[in-house]
Amino acid sequence: MQRRTVFQAGSLIGFLLVACSSFGQVTAADFDRALDIQEKYNKLAISLPEPPVWQESSDTFVYRKTIEGGHEFELVDAAAQTKQPAFDHAKLAAALSKESGKSYQAATLPFARFHFVSGRAAIEFSADQARWRCDLAAYTCAKEAALHPGGESGDDYGYDDTPPAVNDPGRAEASPDGQWLAYTQNYNVHVRSKDGKQTLDLSEDGSEGNYYAVSTIVWSPDSKCLVAYRIRPGYHRVLRYIDAAPSDQLQPEYPAMVYPKPGDALARPQVVMFDIAAKREIPIDAALYPNPFDLSPAQWWKDSRGFTFDYNQRGHQLYRVIEVDAHTGEARALITEQSSTFINYEPLVDNQYDTGKIYRHDVDDGKEIVWASERDGWEHLYLLKGQTGDVENQITKGNWVVRAVNYVDDRKRQIWFQASGVNPGEDPYYVHGYRIGFDGSGLTPLTPLEANHRLEFSHDGKYYVDLWSRIDLAPTLALYRTEDNKQLMLLEQTDIGKLVAAGWHPPEVFTAKGRDGVTEIWGLIYRPANFDPKKKYAVIEDIYAGPQGSFVPKSFTTYTEPLTQLGFAVARIDGMGTNNRSKAFHDVAWHNLKDAGFPDRILWHKAVAEKYPWYDISRVGVFGTSAGGQSAMGALLFHPEFYKVAVSNSGCHDNRMDKIWWNEQWMGWPVGPQYSESSNVDNAWRLQGKLMLITGLMDHNVDPASTFQVADRLIKAHKIFDLVVVPEADHGTRGPWARYTNRNLFDYFVRNLLDEPIPDWNTLPVPSSTAAASEEPSED
């Protein structure tokens, strides 16, 4: 589930002390300022860097930073300690404009990431829903391919990652020694010699309904064996869309997307090993992987003694690393993780908004394994014995969490990693860098400054870049040498002088005890523009409670909360059930997405009101998008005594209607009564307060039928509500539709929380920015 708001993905805010109305009467000018303030602030921070990307097998990295009028890409050579533009931005803009037919300037190139190819002779990137390649010598550009090709049936395969059946000898996997090519034809596995003189038919049991997938073929390093998965397809659920107002024709179109939902029958993979010389097929006993939600690709040991694969059991309460002996085909459970709630099976990566818990590093070809686990109630690293999977020793321990592993030095037996919550008295979400020995000794902090740090290591571990900031501290980017933690280059220090001069201020960090009376709940307060502590201000909560991450911003950003311009105090809170704290904190979400941390959120609001009399919790609204849209409506269903007005955008109002992977992860499998208990559809009869629903008909993230089903139930329950449907909009009604839906949201809160009239928009001129957006919708 992606974090989205009706303003912009991951919106973040400051508050503004500027001349505006006294909020005795909200004017059209106030609305316009609210709609435009974010764009204004985005341009005022200079040398604001984005996380760097190291180039493979080199000492160079690239990052993008803000400059006057846009952005620029920088290329840094860590060994030479030099920095220069990554390419000639003006020439690239001219070449791309010529080929695309659009107008780009040096500072407004239409991509935020790229990678070098052919050394540094060219770059590749995505823009305008296509892959592009630009030659950096001739400065010519060519469109490579569309980003989202449909399947053979014309359907977009969306959220279905089942390996497809490919009967094409030209799609082959070469053996490591280069002597054989493995491919699938007539749904079976075949190999042919490099010279084409010999062909071996390795399987005969494949069929259209139980086929071998060429994308799953993995050769052993010695080229004597290969592994392939035989796939029995699951249910092929297809969403049908009504593209009611296509840009290129009068009549509607009816595109489709494959979209598995909770409870659907899944594809069933069977792991099969083939001995090439003996032409022997060895099916791997499925007793250890009887009900997979997913199997990882096979991973051979370097000495070809066998291979492993990860088994993520449906329901996400059992996760195994299974090892198979290459000589006998016997399988055993090498590592097993079990949970009475859920195992967060996504990879352990440095991403606040989407953090998994799985990490594995093989030492000396599997003689030992560095493994991440929450088995003691916190995400930590363990050293396991490779022969048995038993714990040799726990590497990290304490009431804090490992957030990412950056680099492992097998020779020195040391690990560089990131963690949060280590430092007492500090925000437990702040990420810091550390080094530690395999045996758990020598824990060494690398980032002493109290801030949120993001470390990116070179591929050989010789260097790392630290990007640090806080909500109230502008970012700094610096290059370090790993060996002695010495700073080699101070790359960027963000200049926010113009931003501050324009009236920007950071929000206030606020903490309060949660429902257990012990755990600190962290959030932010954004004060209204033209703030006067003698007045009372209605409160609006910007909610997102998806369990995949934590969502209160910790790093600096120029994004603003537009509602502050209309006289509202705005809050963002991470309640229980969100990620990046203890396992117990996270487990609150299990089978219970309707909880959404509301008991903690309400206590937090009450604590703010107790400290600040101007914070009026008799008038509380809430808005959110996607999972936040589900929670926003849920606030009125399950906590109407506190929340009075809600705007729900693109909500997944019934978790049985949403994508399978996100919802079964938290709500479990089989689908049971817990889904109904958390359903806004089944609980629509409970509605109290004022509700606005917003959805785009072309939402490819959350099935838009979810919003219409909850609307249907509200109507049948004789409930009054507002519904905004944007025919051409995708998830979050972003892009050219954002201004329209934002204004509807603003109107709704002004009318229902401030009890004030709104401008007669139909009699006012259309802003030029809106007119331009209407003429040429952006591709999303």
Side-chain angles (χ1 to χ4, degrees), residues 421-497:
V422 178
N423 301 331
E426 188 177 276
D427 185 328
Y429 295 93
Y430 281 169
V431 175
H432 287 275
Y434 299 90
R435 183 182 69 241
I436 196 170
F438 279 16
D439 62 0
S441 65
L443 179 64
T444 303
L446 307 177
T447 55
L449 182 67
E450 183 176 345
N452 198 38
H453 296 258
R454 176 163 179 168
L455 277 60
E456 299 288 350
F457 278 65
S458 61
H459 294 279
D460 60 8
K462 289 167 57 178
Y463 307 99
Y464 69 89
V465 183
D466 183 10
L467 174 59
W468 71 88
S469 69
R470 295 191 306 261
I471 283 294
D472 61 347
L473 178 69
T476 298
L477 183 69
L479 172 68
Y480 290 82
R481 185 167 56 209
T482 305
E483 183 180 32
D484 54 6
N485 202 35
K486 180 182 178 181
Q487 186 180 116
L488 300 179
M489 297 179 71
L490 180 61
L491 297 165
E492 303 292 345
Q493 287 186 302
T494 302
D495 179 359
I496 60 171

Side-chain angles (χ1 to χ4, degrees), residues 504-533:
W504 178 89
H505 291 270
E508 177 184 346
V509 177
F510 191 89
T511 66
K513 300 296 183 185
R515 70 189 76 182
D516 60 3
V518 177
T519 305
E520 292 288 343
I521 302 299
W522 289 72
L524 295 174
I525 306 168
Y526 307 98
R527 300 189 185 200
N530 205 28
F531 175 70
D532 181 349

Side-chain angles (χ1 to χ4, degrees), residues 236-248:
H236 189 78
R237 181 183 296 279
V238 176
L239 292 191
R240 302 291 177 184
Y241 288 85
I242 302 176
D243 187 354
S247 60
D248 59 348

